[in-house]
Amino acid sequence: RVNRNDFLNALAEVHPAFGVSEEELEQVIQNGIIHFDPIVDEILRSGQLFVEQVRTSTRTPLVSVLLHGPPGSGKTALAASIASASQYPFIKLISPDSMVGFSESQKVTAINKVFADSYKSPLSVIVVDNLERLLEWTPIGPRFSNAVLQALLVLFARRPPKGRRLLVLTTSSLRPVLTEIGLSEVFDSELRVPPISNLVSLEFVLREVELFQSSEERRHAVRMLEDAGFALTAKEEDSSKMHIGIKKLLSTIEMARQEPDNVAQRLMGGLMGLGM
Ligand code: ATP
Ligand code: MG
């Protein structure tokens, strides 16, 4: 017979993992999501559909999705937002940042544990962040951790126990590498996270973060960039495009903010220096 104490013990067992992951997730999304392009909403909406699919479909107890795009395009923040919005009882982030100094086998153990823990919850979402770093991928050689790869191949394919459902959200900046090492077929779906590629999006971000005192100043800065050859509405594939991840753009903006005089020049210098 299960009594109240068993119940409380069970809660105590489950709660710390949940608490910790919430903190982790909050940290990742603390800067918020700026809706600088319709694609941002599309990605969040797709994520929401996967969340609903796992919640309601009995045929797909395991769904894995790859979010890929250039460095700093916002993959981690978007995956974390989707995970956090799911309101599933088990949400966990597997991040190479939390495994610094781990041996290969320690990593495998830690990854296995997160999946094993998820199997105890009826609904779980696991964010496997920065796959190539988790795999210790180096282009020289090329080299990577085969032990971690083998563990992930098994876990990504394993159906959770009966009555349990799991959504896996993985992020990577090196989509081609995943094909090379045989890791791309394991995903049920892929979402591409693009960089910012035109001035309309850039201006949207500038407005959102209130870098300039007035809209005149902001427009002046945008005009400077237009004069420098960047197009207002270019798509990513156009030649007049810019190419900058939201992460780099936000840090460039924060640097420009440190020097209130000549914010526009600072911003411009920062953006040009980033080779968009
Ligand atoms: P890396 O390639 O280094 O792993 P990343 O692609 O995972 O980078 P994030 O670490 O998610 O990028 O950084 C994106 C940053 O931009 C976060 O601080 C996030 O809060 C902020 N941000 C603002 N708007 C958006 C958006 N529309 N999408 C994603 N992130 C956004
Ligand atoms: Mg990331």
Side-chain angles (χ1 to χ4, degrees), residues 195-199 202 230-231 234 236 240-244 276:
I196 289 175
S197 55
N198 63 53
L199 285 177
L202 184 107
F230 296 113
E236 220 190 320
S240 55
K241 68 176 193 218
M242 64 179 72
H243 186 101
I244 183 170
M276 1 180 257

Side-chain angles (χ1 to χ4, degrees), residues 28-36 40 69-78 129-130 171 173 246-247 250:
V28 173
I29 48 183
Q30 65 183 353
N31 293 324
I33 299 292
I34 300 170
H35 299 251
F36 56 79
V40 174
S73 54
K75 305 170 297 293
T76 303
L78 289 170
D129 195 29
N130 210 327
T171 79
S173 308
I246 180 71
K247 191 177 176 180
L250 290 176

Side-chain angles (χ1 to χ4, degrees), residues 11 24 47 57 60 207 224:
L11 269 187
E24 284 171 357
S57 166
T60 49
R207 188 177 339 127
M224 274 173 57

